[in-house]
Amino acid sequence: MAAGPTGYVGAMEHFTIATVAEKSPDFRRVLWTGEHTQLVIMTIPPGGEIGEEVHEDVDQILTFVSGTGEARVAGEKKEVVSGDLVVVPAGTKHNFVNTGPNPLVLYTVYGPPEHADQAVHRTKEEADAAEAAGQDEPPTA
């Protein structure tokens, strides 16, 4: 078996994910990158959003830890709160907007990886700039 992008072969990673996500002030932080999936935590400030996007070849599963927001997926809108999970199939237009007074905290799994291994973007603006500059590319197999 080949080593994944992080160099681990069969190593277990363990996270108390809700606690880890709640403690992160960063807009986006890649926690773990494997060969086929990637775990990312996000904190969207009040009034903020992920930004409308489409991942052509990447499925995404988002689980909300705290805060309130609105999922906008494939033209549908749905309120999201702590404990909710939203699946975004590859090729689907989506956005997630913080509609509450507190940060909207979530973790998401991409399959395959979508971002650079160990990437940390403190703000959406920083994340957008890194993507535009080609500095947020996922590892290649």
Side-chain angles (χ1 to χ4, degrees), residues 16-131:
T16 305
I17 193 66
T19 303
V20 172
E22 281 283 350
K23 288 183 179 179
S24 176
D26 300 312
F27 174 73
R28 179 168 52 224
R29 176 180 291 271
V30 175
L31 288 183
W32 180 84
T33 301
E35 223 175 311
H36 305 287
T37 57
Q38 185 173 62
L39 175 62
V40 176
I41 54 177
M42 298 186 75
T43 299
I44 303 164
E49 63 182 77
I50 289 175
E52 188 172 85
E53 59 187 359
V54 175
H55 306 299
E56 291 298 338
D57 300 314
V58 177
D59 293 322
Q60 186 175 8
I61 300 169
L62 303 94
T63 304
F64 295 86
V65 174
S66 65
T68 57
E70 184 175 78
R72 301 175 182 174
V73 180
E76 293 183 50
K77 294 181 180 180
K78 177 103 175 131
E79 181 183 25
V80 291
V81 297
S82 176
D84 286 353
L85 183 144
V86 176
V87 175
V88 180
T92 305
K93 186 182 292 186
H94 61 282
N95 191 7
F96 295 87
V97 179
N98 184 339
T99 59
N102 299 311
L104 180 61
V105 180
L106 64 107
Y107 61 92
T108 184
V109 176
Y110 294 97
E114 173 68 11
H115 298 287
D117 187 29
Q118 300 180 5
V120 176
H121 301 119
R122 293 176 310 152
T123 64
K124 181 177 182 339
E125 294 74 24
E126 190 177 293
D128 290 346
E131 288 178 21

